[in-house]
Amino acid sequence: MNIQDLKKPFDRDEIEWRIQSSGIKGNGEVWAKIIAYVQARAVMDRLDYVCGPHAWSDQYVFEPKGVMCGITIQGQIEGKGCYNQTKWDGAEPTQVESFKGGLSDAFKRAAVKWGIGRYLYSWEVQFAEISMKAQKGWNYASHKAKDGSYTKYWWKVPESAWHQGEPPEGPFVTIPSKLIKPDDNDSQLPNYAEAVGAEKEKPASKAYLKLLRDEVSKKSIDKDTIKKQMLMMFGKGSSAELTNDECTKLLMKFVRTYEVKDGN
């Protein structure tokens, strides 16, 4: 594999935009600032394409205020021979689907450490094109005023937003409590990696089990299904027997496989 291919720009249909902020001008016109991002699924596809589905993996460690994600890539890499390295980053819960959103953000931030989508950090915030009437192919949104009233509008990405330059070196990111560049060798974090390894083998803590219970409750997963999954994945019939690592894997299985039930 050529590890540099991870850094290649995404196609337009793989990049999404969201509104960062909006408001109403003195003349009553709506304005909206938008930023570009990629979905976690696009990042997974890039890793599959460059590395192969079996040459990368992700792992998660839950912290009191968020979650850490490590992306490991291994295999034969051009010019480097045999390769096996993990890069970490983290995120706090998000406002929408807080648990799943936190996992997704941590995953995408760890991917940036590998160079995936890093160039998007250099893209400036853009003003969207706005229409007060429905337009085919445009995005619908609404602005909430201080008095609680809503103004609906439609927006699209201006063509100029797609023609931005390549990023400078960086950006710098903090992991954990250290300032390092995404391309720097993670040998700067040996103690953290060692601690993560030790943490994974501990019996599942109350915090890990609570995350699992909350996910099971939110998705109304029955006890027989939980027990079947534990037996299939780990040969264990009780959550009390799980380690932190096994609890995390079971949690991720439920996050990715089961939808939230109506009414929950």
Side-chain angles (χ1 to χ4, degrees):
M1 75 181 81
N2 185 351
I3 204 71
Q4 295 302 315
D5 287 343
L6 292 173
K7 300 180 181 180
K8 289 183 176 180
F10 286 93
D11 293 334
R12 282 196 183 192
D13 59 2
E14 296 177 298
I15 297 175
E16 301 194 27
W17 297 78
R18 66 174 177 84
I19 295 174
Q20 183 187 60
S21 58
S22 64
I24 299 179
K25 303 176 185 178
N27 60 6
E29 294 181 355
V30 174
W31 60 266
K33 290 183 177 181
I34 56 175
I35 56 175
Y37 69 99
V38 291
Q39 292 278 12
R41 194 175 303 277
V43 175
M44 296 176 194
D45 289 342
R46 175 63 57 86
L47 286 163
D48 282 350
Y49 178 78
V50 175
C51 307
H54 303 296
W56 71 273
S57 61
D58 52 338
Q59 54 185 307
Y60 298 85
V61 175
F62 299 99
E63 305 286 358
K65 294 185 178 181
V67 59
M68 298 290 296
C69 174
I71 296 179
T72 300
I73 295 177
Q74 54 189 342
Q76 294 293 323
I77 294 181
E78 293 180 13
K80 292 191 176 183
C82 189
Y83 195 81
N84 188 336
Q85 189 176 5
T86 303
K87 297 192 178 187
W88 292 84
D89 209 326
E92 296 179 348
T94 59
Q95 293 182 346
V96 180
E97 290 189 286
S98 61
F99 179 70
K100 190 173 182 179
L103 291 174
S104 178
D105 281 356
F107 175 73
K108 289 189 289 185
R109 289 180 181 183
V112 169
K113 298 284 292 296
W114 284 103
I116 301 175
R118 190 188 304 162
Y119 70 97
L120 293 176
Y121 279 81
S122 74
W123 283 21
E124 296 180 357
V125 175
Q126 301 288 315
F127 279 98
E129 292 185 25
I130 302 293
S131 173
M132 303 310 292
K133 296 181 179 180
Q135 301 284 345
K136 185 177 181 180
W138 289 39
N139 304 287
Y140 170 79
S142 62
H143 171 76
K144 183 179 181 180
K146 291 182 179 180
D147 62 5
S149 63
Y150 286 87
T151 301
K152 62 181 181 180
Y153 61 94
W154 286 259
W155 65 275
K156 76 171 185 176
V157 181
E159 182 61 28
S160 60
W162 296 104
H163 304 289
Q164 302 192 53
E166 290 298 313
E169 286 296 318
F172 288 88
V173 294
T174 304
I175 290 293
S177 303
K178 290 185 178 181
L179 203 61
I180 61 175
K181 290 174 63 175
D183 275 338
D184 286 347
N185 192 298
D186 279 355
S187 61
Q188 297 186 52
L189 307 175
N191 294 334
Y192 183 71
E194 184 177 320
V196 167
E199 183 72 17
K200 288 164 61 176
E201 300 307 317
K202 290 182 179 179
S205 66
K206 291 182 179 179
Y208 277 60
L209 290 172
K210 182 179 184 303
L211 286 170
L212 182 60
R213 286 196 302 270
D214 290 347
E215 190 68 15
V216 165
S217 174
K218 182 172 65 176
K219 297 185 175 179
S220 300
I221 303 172
D222 61 83
K223 292 182 179 180
D224 288 341
T225 299
I226 299 170
K227 186 173 182 179
K228 181 179 178 180
Q229 286 292 344
M230 287 191 294
L231 287 170
M232 288 177 58
M233 296 173 68
F234 317 115
K236 297 179 178 180
S238 169
S239 59
E241 302 174 41
L242 298 176
T243 64
N244 281 333
D245 187 46
E246 291 167 343
C247 192
T248 301
K249 290 177 179 176
L250 186 61
L251 184 59
M252 294 303 298
K253 174 72 175 179
F254 292 151
V255 167
R256 290 170 172 169
T257 305
Y258 296 87
E259 298 295 331
V260 177
K261 299 293 184 182
D262 292 338
N264 287 336

